[in-house]
Amino acid sequence: MERARMVEEQLAHRGIEDQRVLDAMRRVPRHLFVEESAAPYAYEDHPMPIGDGQTISQPYIVALMLQAARIGPEDRVLDVGTGSGYAAAVAAQLGHRVVSVERHPDLAVGAAATLEALGYRVEVVTGDGTLGWPAAAPYDAIVAAATGPSVPRAWVEQLAPGGRIVMPVGRPGRAQHLALFEHDPDGSLRETNLGSVAFVPLLGAQGWPVP
């Protein structure tokens, strides 16, 4: 099966060690979260376009981000940049509650329909992801699929004590890195660089300006 091969060759053999993440990636049918014409290539390790200038991240990056987020069975998760809903579906296998924010209404509607049809319990909302989603805060983990200039202040305010934020940081089209921010007991954020990445921009009031 292509999904099992993806998990073994692209994830486990490249350092993804969290067994819960690997099991979740085995369960979620990525080919149902891409356009029908792209379905034969859904388990290859590269991003794919999904419309509105957005992409679905490559499987390895999804796994790396969710592994870094350390989502436990009782955790509340904010997923920023729903896209097709794939990463939110994987996160739903790991945590207790997932709220996913998408700024493009068409993508939000499509993702919500796919997630509901497949039985994933994800609340998809349309809005400015840089402002988080206060109604469901606090969150134990916040995961973002777009690169920002820094951590949005709203996310820090909505993060539970001991929470984690995983997001790419850097200017679009230039050097970016994937960062893990951990909420220390003294209230500060400790950053760990997880390596170079390339993501679409995080647009909004506390991200990059909307064109």
Side-chain angles (χ1 to χ4, degrees):
M1 167 181 265
E2 289 294 299
R3 206 181 314 162
R5 182 181 62 80
M6 174 195 76
V7 171
E8 293 305 318
E9 295 181 4
Q10 300 171 23
L11 308 184
H13 287 177
R14 295 177 62 189
I16 302 299
E17 300 174 342
D18 188 319
Q19 196 58 52
R20 294 185 69 240
V21 172
L22 294 173
D23 288 344
M25 298 284 281
R26 285 191 186 95
R27 290 194 293 268
V28 179
R30 191 171 188 258
H31 64 280
L32 298 181
F33 289 88
V34 300
E35 296 177 355
E36 188 174 350
S37 61
Y41 315 104
Y43 296 102
E44 296 180 5
D45 194 40
H46 55 72
M48 306 179 75
I50 56 173
D52 285 335
Q54 305 301 298
T55 59
I56 179 173
S57 297
Q58 67 188 91
Y60 173 75
I61 292 296
V62 173
L64 179 64
M65 295 179 77
L66 293 177
Q67 175 173 266
R70 304 195 306 275
I71 300 170
E74 300 302 318
D75 282 356
R76 297 149 296 177
V77 181
L78 176 66
D79 172 61
V80 179
T82 313
S84 69
Y86 175 71
V90 180
Q93 297 277 332
L94 301 169
H96 174 68
R97 181 182 184 186
V98 177
V99 176
S100 188
V101 186
E102 173 56 56
R103 66 181 300 269
H104 296 275
D106 290 347
L107 289 180
V109 170
T114 301
L115 290 162
E116 182 177 6
L118 295 174
Y120 294 110
R121 295 172 55 191
V122 176
E123 180 184 356
V124 179
V125 296
T126 303
D128 181 348
T130 70
L131 300 179
W133 196 255
Y139 302 100
D140 301 290
I142 298 175
V143 182
T147 186
S150 60
V151 180
R153 182 179 65 259
W155 297 2
V156 179
E157 294 170 350
Q158 294 171 34
L159 194 65
R164 289 81 56 200
I165 297 173
V166 181
M167 67 174 292
V169 177
R171 187 172 293 276
R174 299 187 183 179
Q176 302 173 20
H177 68 277
L178 186 63
L180 164 65
F181 295 93
E182 299 177 83
H183 194 279
D184 284 341
D186 64 2
S188 63
L189 285 181
R190 176 163 43 94
E191 179 180 357
T192 302
N193 187 326
L194 302 178
S196 298
V197 291
F199 276 81
V200 297
L202 179 67
L203 302 177
Q206 294 184 25
W208 300 108
V210 178

